């Protein structure tokens, strides 16, 4: 009887500890698990101090996506605060409907990591394209600037400031076009409530 009670207590303690380590607010997370819906692939798309981005595949459809895996701890110490993680997810949920903002599909969390399943942009970053091509035509440059300003206008209409816009954080949809996708909202902040989504000059939203 004592051993059984101890096991029940151990189980409740483990569950409580698990809950205390959860950083993402429950309404922001997807139901189920990452492994049930997606298959992680070996290809690494990018990496940073606390995150790595890998390609993944949606099991039901075969659709290719990008998965940003954010480490919550390093050597047993917290490396990123819950506030910043929730801000990033909340902003992506709010603004990913715009065609020039990288779309978020799902959010999952384990004891050690947060998984953000995102739209896959196969064209690399704008920085890579600039370094590879050396120069753009005036027409292409104007198209890129227009898309960036449309995305910024939409973010501001949604009460969001990006705070880290640079060529490395502007992805291209594919290798044959100049369709820009604003990404990396780790430093972004919401400063106001969203305004009307279809205000003039805000560009297009996904249908």
């Amino acid at each position: 009887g004592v051993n059984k009670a101890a096991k029940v207590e151990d189980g409740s303690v483990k569950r409580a500890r698990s809950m205390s380590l959860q950083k993402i607010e429950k309404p922001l997370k997807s139901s189920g698990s990452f492994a049930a819906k997606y298959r992680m692939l070996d290809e690494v798309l990018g990496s940073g101090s606390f995150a790595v981005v890998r390609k993944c595949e949606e099991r039901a459809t075969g659709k290719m996506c990008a998965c940003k895996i954010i480490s919550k701890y390093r050597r047993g110490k917290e490396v990123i605060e819950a506030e910043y993680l929730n801000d990033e997810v909340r902003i992506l949920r709010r603004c990913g409907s715009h065609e020039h903002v990288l779309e978020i599909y799902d959010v999952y969390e384990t004891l050690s990591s947060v998984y953000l399943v995102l739209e896959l942009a196969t064209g690399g970053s704008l920085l890579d394209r600039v370094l590879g091509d050396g120069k753009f035509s005036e027409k292409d440059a104007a198209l890129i600037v227009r898309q960036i300003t449309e995305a910024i206008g939409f973010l501001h209409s949604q009460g969001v400031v990006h705070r880290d816009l640079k060529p490395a954080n502007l992805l291209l949809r594919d290798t044959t076009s100049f369709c820009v996708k604003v990404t990396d909202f780790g430093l972004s902040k919401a400063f106001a409530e969203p305004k009307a989504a279809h205000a003039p000059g805000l560009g297009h939203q996904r249908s």
Side-chain angles (χ1 to χ4, degrees):
V2 175
N3 289 337
K4 185 176 181 180
K7 288 181 180 179
V8 171
E9 183 178 353
D10 286 345
S12 64
V13 169
K14 287 179 180 178
R15 285 192 295 273
R17 181 173 179 270
S18 174
M19 290 300 293
S20 69
L21 293 175
Q22 299 295 300
K23 290 180 174 291
I24 302 297
E25 297 171 5
K26 190 173 182 180
L28 297 175
K29 289 192 279 192
S30 304
S31 59
S33 69
F34 173 87
K37 187 172 181 179
Y38 298 94
R39 181 170 66 91
M40 190 71 77
L41 304 180
D42 293 333
E43 185 176 350
V44 175
L45 303 173
S47 61
S49 300
F50 311 117
V52 61
V53 181
R54 294 173 61 181
K55 187 180 287 188
C56 65
E57 179 184 18
E58 187 176 26
R59 293 182 184 276
T61 64
K63 180 179 180 178
M64 292 298 174
C65 307
C67 182
K68 182 177 181 180
I69 308 165
I70 305 170
S71 298
K72 299 193 292 186
Y73 306 95
R74 176 178 289 180
R75 297 174 184 171
K77 295 183 178 180
E78 185 179 74
V79 295
I80 185 166
E81 295 180 14
E83 176 186 357
Y84 294 107
L85 282 171
N86 283 286
D87 281 348
E88 181 173 4
V89 172
R90 191 177 294 108
I91 287 168
L92 281 166
R93 292 283 200 197
R94 181 188 294 187
C95 299
S97 61
H98 194 274
E99 68 170 327
H100 297 305
V101 175
L102 202 69
E103 188 173 5
I104 186 168
Y105 301 132
D106 284 300
V107 179
Y108 302 98
E109 184 174 13
T110 65
L111 291 180
S112 61
S113 305
V114 173
Y115 293 75
L116 307 183
V117 183
L118 305 160
E119 175 184 2
L120 178 63
T122 60
S125 70
L126 183 59
L127 177 62
D128 293 334
R129 185 72 68 88
V130 171
L131 295 175
D133 293 354
K135 61 180 180 180
F136 295 151
S137 68
E138 183 176 346
K139 179 181 179 181
D140 289 337
L143 174 63
I144 291 168
V145 171
R146 179 179 64 78
Q147 293 176 86
I148 295 170
T149 54
E150 283 184 358
I152 293 171
F154 178 76
L155 292 176
H156 290 179
S157 78
Q158 299 301 297
V160 170
V161 58
H162 189 281
R163 303 205 307 173
D164 196 24
L165 277 174
K166 56 188 178 183
N169 288 340
L170 299 170
L171 300 182
L172 297 170
R173 183 182 63 195
D174 51 55
T175 58
T176 60
S177 73
F178 285 100
C179 181
V180 172
K181 303 283 183 176
V182 176
T183 187
D184 202 341
F185 287 81
L187 295 179
S188 300
K189 284 292 181 183
F191 62 87
E193 290 300 313
K195 297 179 181 178
H198 296 285
L202 297 183
H204 306 286
Q205 287 186 282
R206 303 174 201 272
S207 57

